[in-house]
């Protein structure tokens, strides 16, 4: 039996190394995972309670259309219910978009160092991948526009970009959207958008009133702290959502996830707390990187990408032995690691470990 020829050599997505594996492999009692941009403060207590209560209905299929959650989210965002689609994390929405809109030979444009699932799913559909180099770690929208042809079907913009953490501003995005042909779909991935208070950061949902060829992706995995429950969503023009919904698997989000997400939406206090704690964590980490003489990209989400001046796999391994899981191995940034903002205690332990690693590397020459 032979698979599709274009998937044979595709890499499998590698998530951050699990804490349990590191403890077992290295014999460590304490391990801090700062690799997957998870919320170190957990999730809303009301969301947790809603998920637990919903377990009583485990024998009953979930609402495939997520009607109650869709209504709650539509009210929160100020959009119509037919503008929303849910998936098992925003990663499934990416899969559905590629499945719904790309056919072999279509062209799709993305940054050369960004969330890998855009490329992965486009390759599965046998589309032609056009990668545009980041400029100072940021999407080069002008260069991306220059790559648009009559065969271009989708442009992917991760804002803030993962892994660099940089943002495209509202004036930049607006100017870009005005020049994108109306038959080219722009996917604006705002997985970390709720962390950002910068007035220059665009609200993708607000732009939907002007651009029917835009779809905005968001998730409950990050600031909402529901990564394990796997639920995210897309917001766009009703036609875009309808086409995407036609390839959605039935019952793709669970009862517990829908209940937790609905409760999480109503707990604004939890989001405010997490946003403030994250801001303080970013300030601390950047101050420490400055003290250590390390450069880093401007950070807007809940992570920082820092140049450790050494091959990143070496630093990753050395940190791992000290019980810190980071993220490394970036194609175009071989000396950078990406670190999630943790609690104050976690951040301090990471900085202490990093300083030891860099000092030892300097001694070894």
């Amino acid at each position: 039996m032979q698979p599709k020829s274009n998937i044979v050599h595709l890499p499998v997505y590698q998530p951050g190394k699990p804490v349990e594996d590191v403890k077992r492999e290295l014999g460590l009692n304490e391990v801090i995972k700062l690799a997957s941009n998870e919320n170190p403060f957990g999730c809303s207590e009301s969301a947790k309670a809603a998920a637990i209560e919903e377990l009583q209905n485990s024998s009953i299929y979930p609402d495939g259309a997520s009607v109650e959650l869709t209504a709650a989210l539509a009210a929160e965002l100020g959009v119509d219910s037919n503008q929303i689609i849910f998936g098992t994390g925003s990663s499934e929405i990416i899969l559905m978009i590629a499945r719904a809109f790309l056919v072999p030979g279509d062209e799709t444009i993305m940054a050369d160092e960004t969330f890998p699932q855009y490329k992965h799913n486009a390759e599965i559909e046998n589309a032609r991948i056009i990668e545009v180099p980041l400029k100072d770690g940021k999407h080069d929208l002008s260069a991306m526009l220059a790559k648009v042809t009559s065969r271009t079907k989708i442009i992917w913009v991760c804002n803030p970009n993962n892994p660099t953490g940089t943002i495209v501003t509202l004036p930049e995005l607006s100017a870009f959207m005005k020049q994108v042909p109306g038959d080219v779909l722009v996917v604006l991935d705002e997985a970390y958008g709720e962390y950002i208070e910068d007035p220059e950061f665009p609200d993708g949902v607000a732009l939907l009133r002007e651009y029917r060829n835009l779809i905005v992706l968001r998730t409950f995995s990050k600031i909402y702290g529901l990564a394990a429950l796997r639920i995210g969503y897309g917001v766009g023009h009703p036609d875009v959502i309808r086409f995407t919904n036609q390839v959605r698997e039935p019952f793709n989000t669970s009862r517990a996830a829908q209940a937790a997400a609905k409760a999480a939406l109503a707990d604004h206090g939890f989001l405010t707390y997490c946003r403030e704690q994250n801001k303080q964590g970013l300030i601390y980490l950047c101050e420490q990187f400055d003290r250590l003489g390390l450069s880093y990209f401007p950070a807007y989400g809940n992570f920082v990408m820092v140049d450790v001046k050494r091959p990143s796999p070496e630093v990753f391994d050395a940190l791992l032995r000290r019980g810190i899981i980071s993220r490394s191995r970036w194609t175009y940034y071989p000396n950078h690691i990406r670190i999630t903002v943790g609690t104050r205690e976690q951040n301090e332990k990471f900085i202490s470990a990093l300083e030891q690693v860099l000092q030892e590397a300097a001694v070894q020459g």
Side-chain angles (χ1 to χ4, degrees), residues 97 101 153-155 183-187 212-215 240:
I97 291 170
F101 291 96
K153 187 69 75 67
I154 300 176
I155 303 175
D183 60 350
V184 175
L185 180 64
V186 176
V187 181
R212 61 184 298 151
N213 61 326
L214 176 68
I215 182 169
V240 174

Side-chain angles (χ1 to χ4, degrees), residues 13-16 33-38 114-116 161-165 192 222 289 302-308 312 316 319 324-330 333 335-341 350:
Y13 180 76
Q14 297 297 320
K33 184 184 179 188
L34 301 176
S36 298
N37 303 339
E38 297 149 327
T114 191
F115 188 49
N161 186 45
N162 179 11
T164 57
Y192 303 92
K222 304 305 179 183
F289 294 148
N302 68 335
F303 58 93
V304 190
M305 195 175 190
V306 57
D307 185 351
V308 290
S312 65
F316 171 88
L319 286 172
I324 306 290
I325 310 175
S326 61
R327 201 67 179 266
S328 65
R329 301 181 188 278
W330 310 106
Y333 300 98
N335 291 346
H336 285 69
I337 63 170
R338 192 194 68 195
I339 198 76
T340 304
V341 179
F350 158 67

Side-chain angles (χ1 to χ4, degrees), residues 101-103 106-109 149-155 183-186:
F101 291 96
L102 294 175
V103 299
D106 280 345
E107 293 179 356
T108 182
I109 301 170
T149 73
S150 60
R151 299 192 68 86
T152 304
K153 187 69 75 67
I154 300 176
I155 303 175
D183 60 350
V184 175
L185 180 64
V186 176

Side-chain angles (χ1 to χ4, degrees), residues 172-238:
E172 292 166 340
L173 183 62
S174 296
F176 171 76
M177 288 300 304
K178 287 175 183 176
Q179 298 177 74
V180 174
D183 60 350
V184 175
L185 180 64
V186 176
V187 181
L188 182 64
D189 189 344
E190 296 183 341
Y192 303 92
E194 292 91 352
Y195 280 107
I196 304 176
E197 298 176 295
D198 192 312
E200 287 273 271
F201 183 71
D203 175 2
V205 172
L207 291 174
L208 293 172
R209 290 189 289 270
E210 296 181 61
Y211 304 104
R212 61 184 298 151
N213 61 326
L214 176 68
I215 182 169
V216 179
L217 308 186
R218 293 181 181 172
T219 183
F220 286 91
S221 296
K222 304 305 179 183
I223 198 169
Y224 288 99
L226 300 179
L229 294 184
R230 309 307 303 125
I231 187 160
Y233 60 93
V235 193
H237 187 275

Side-chain angles (χ1 to χ4, degrees), residues 141-152:
L141 296 183
S142 296
M144 296 175 85
L145 274 172
K147 295 293 184 181
V148 173
T149 73
S150 60
R151 299 192 68 86
T152 304

